[in-house]
Amino acid sequence: MQKTGRFLEIDFFRGLAIIMMVISNFVTDLKYFLGYSDYLLFWSFFALFVASSFVFISGVSFNVSFSKKVASQNLTYKSYFNRFLKLSVIAVVITAVTAYFLTSGTIYFGIMHFLAISGILGIIFYRFKKLNLFFSVIFLILGVLFSEIVLDTYCLLPFGILPNNFYTLDYFPIFPWFGVYLLGMSFSEKYYKNGVSRHSFEIFKTGFFNKICILGQNTLIIYIIHQPVLVGLLILKYGIFSKIAL
C-alpha cells in the first residue's frame, strides 16, 4: 500500500539501497559460512557503495522529516526519542544474537546502532544547515585518522577506534559514517528546503518504480528479517553449522 505525504524518489532510492544491501549481506554470509572468495575486490567496493548510499539516503530522509515538522511548527522530540529507543532495542538484540549464535564476528556497533545514534546527532546538527557540509568533511577525516589507532578496549568502537585483531560482520562507527549522514542532510537542505520538494516525479507512482518505493518505505522490517531468512536458506541448502554455536 502506498503511503501518503512522502517523496517517492527518496523511497525509490532507499528501496534500491535495501535491495543492494541484502545482496551484499548475502555475499558476506557466503564468505563467512561457505568460504566464498571470488571477486572479493568487487564485492568490497560494492559493499562500500551500498553502505554509503544507504547512510546518505538516511541523512536525506531525516532532514526532510525534521524540516517538515519545523516548518509546520509541529516539532516534538517524543517521536525521535521513541525511534531512538526502538532502534536501540533492535541493535542490542542483534548484538546479543550474534554473540550467542556465532563463533566469531559479533556485531557490536552495526548499522542499527549507528542509525539510533544518528537520529539524535541529526537533531543536534540540524541547526548548522549549510555548515554541515564542512562538519561532514571533519567526520570523514577523523574517521580515517581514528582507523589508524589501536587500543585494547571495546568502549571506543562507536568512534572507529579498534582493539587488536578485531573482527565483526557489520561495523558503522560514528567516525566516519556520520560524515556521510551529514552529506545527506546537506543535500536535503539544498534540494528539499524546509522539507519541500522542488520537483514532482510522477514516474515513481507506477509499475516497477512504485514497487521499489514500497520496499523503500519498509526498509526496517526488511533489514530485520533478511538475515534470518538468508542464513536459514543456507542451513537448509548446505547444513552449515561450523560457525553457529548450537
Side-chain angles (χ1 to χ4, degrees), residues 14 21 51 54-59 62 80 83-84 87-88 91 109-122 172 174 177-178 181 219-220 223:
R14 185 164 46 215
M21 182 174 285
F54 193 82
V55 172
F56 178 87
I57 295 169
S58 295
F62 169 85
Y80 292 96
R83 178 173 174 78
F84 167 75
L87 294 181
S88 295
F109 202 84
I111 186 65
M112 286 295 110
H113 305 71
F114 169 78
L115 290 178
I117 296 297
S118 293
I120 302 300
L121 291 177
F172 282 80
I174 295 168
W177 285 107
F178 191 66
Y181 196 91
T219 53
L220 182 59
Y223 185 84

Side-chain angles (χ1 to χ4, degrees), residues 84 87-88 91-92 94-96 98 105-119 121 154-162 166-178 223:
F84 167 75
L87 294 181
S88 295
V92 169
I94 289 173
T95 298
T98 54
T106 298
I107 298 173
Y108 293 100
F109 202 84
I111 186 65
M112 286 295 110
H113 305 71
F114 169 78
L115 290 178
I117 296 297
S118 293
L121 291 177
Y154 280 45
C155 296
L156 298 177
L157 284 178
F159 305 103
I161 298 175
L162 301 176
F166 177 74
Y167 172 67
T168 181
L169 290 172
D170 189 35
Y171 186 45
F172 282 80
I174 295 168
F175 300 92
W177 285 107
F178 191 66
Y223 185 84

Side-chain angles (χ1 to χ4, degrees), residues 52-178:
S52 300
S53 300
F54 193 82
V55 172
F56 178 87
I57 295 169
S58 295
V60 173
S61 182
F62 169 85
N63 206 74
V64 167
S65 172
F66 202 82
S67 295
K68 281 183 177 181
K69 292 182 179 180
V70 170
S72 65
Q73 297 182 338
N74 190 34
L75 176 63
T76 62
Y77 295 104
K78 182 179 179 181
S79 61
Y80 292 96
F81 180 68
N82 288 339
R83 178 173 174 78
F84 167 75
L85 289 179
K86 179 172 68 173
L87 294 181
S88 295
V89 169
I90 295 171
V92 169
V93 170
I94 289 173
T95 298
V97 168
T98 54
Y100 183 82
F101 286 103
L102 300 183
T103 58
S104 63
T106 298
I107 298 173
Y108 293 100
F109 202 84
I111 186 65
M112 286 295 110
H113 305 71
F114 169 78
L115 290 178
I117 296 297
S118 293
I120 302 300
L121 291 177
I123 294 173
I124 296 171
F125 278 83
Y126 176 81
R127 71 192 66 184
F128 298 119
K129 304 292 184 178
K130 295 180 180 180
L131 277 177
N132 279 329
L133 188 60
F134 167 76
F135 286 123
S136 69
V137 175
I138 298 299
F139 274 87
L140 292 171
I141 292 174
L142 288 177
V144 174
L145 296 177
F146 286 175
S147 68
E148 300 296 321
I149 301 173
V150 178
L151 295 174
D152 284 326
T153 175
Y154 280 45
C155 296
L156 298 177
L157 284 178
F159 305 103
I161 298 175
L162 301 176
N164 277 305
N165 302 315
F166 177 74
Y167 172 67
T168 181
L169 290 172
D170 189 35
Y171 186 45
F172 282 80
I174 295 168
F175 300 92
W177 285 107
F178 191 66

